[in-house]
Amino acid sequence: AGAAVPATLSPTPRTLYFIWDEYQNGIGGRKAARLFSREERGRVKHKYHRRKIIWDCIGALVRAGFTAQVAIDRVYLVYRENTTVTRIINQMK
């Protein structure tokens, strides 16, 4: 009970669904990215900064009334289904 939960991000996310789940819930016993402190974000600054583009986009669509699944599907519609996560992030930047 009190064990420290590691604040790290997955090294190779394969889908936007995975990235969103990592942000909301955490993956593999890790802390959810939305709960990272300033210091924890600083330790994974590059990954966090790049993924924040995706998280902000999906978050905006969710606030607009879409479910997370539909929001991610819409992003895939715009950037094509078979496009890699890295390529989507680069195009969004």
Side-chain angles (χ1 to χ4, degrees):
V5 178
T8 59
L9 296 173
S10 170
T12 54
R14 299 289 181 203
T15 67
L16 297 180
Y17 300 103
F18 185 87
I19 289 178
W20 183 251
D21 194 33
E22 180 178 51
Y23 178 72
Q24 287 294 315
N25 307 313
I27 300 291
R30 297 182 188 114
K31 186 175 185 178
R34 66 185 172 82
L35 301 175
F36 282 13
S37 67
R38 173 181 272 185
E39 292 80 24
E40 291 166 336
R41 286 192 305 267
R43 279 188 232 125
V44 291
K45 184 189 304 189
H46 186 258
K47 288 181 190 177
Y48 191 93
H49 170 73
R50 287 184 56 83
R51 293 179 194 181
K52 188 168 182 340
I53 295 165
I54 298 285
W55 297 331
D56 289 346
C57 177
I58 295 170
L61 290 169
V62 167
R63 284 189 301 279
F66 297 102
T67 65
Q69 299 296 323
V70 171
I72 293 168
D73 289 341
R74 283 184 162 232
V75 171
Y76 272 129
L77 272 174
V78 171
Y79 294 99
R80 289 181 265 149
E81 184 74 32
N82 294 329
T83 305
T84 64
V85 170
T86 301
R87 188 166 287 159
I88 292 172
I89 291 171
N90 289 340
Q91 289 175 351
M92 287 180 138
K93 284 176 76 173

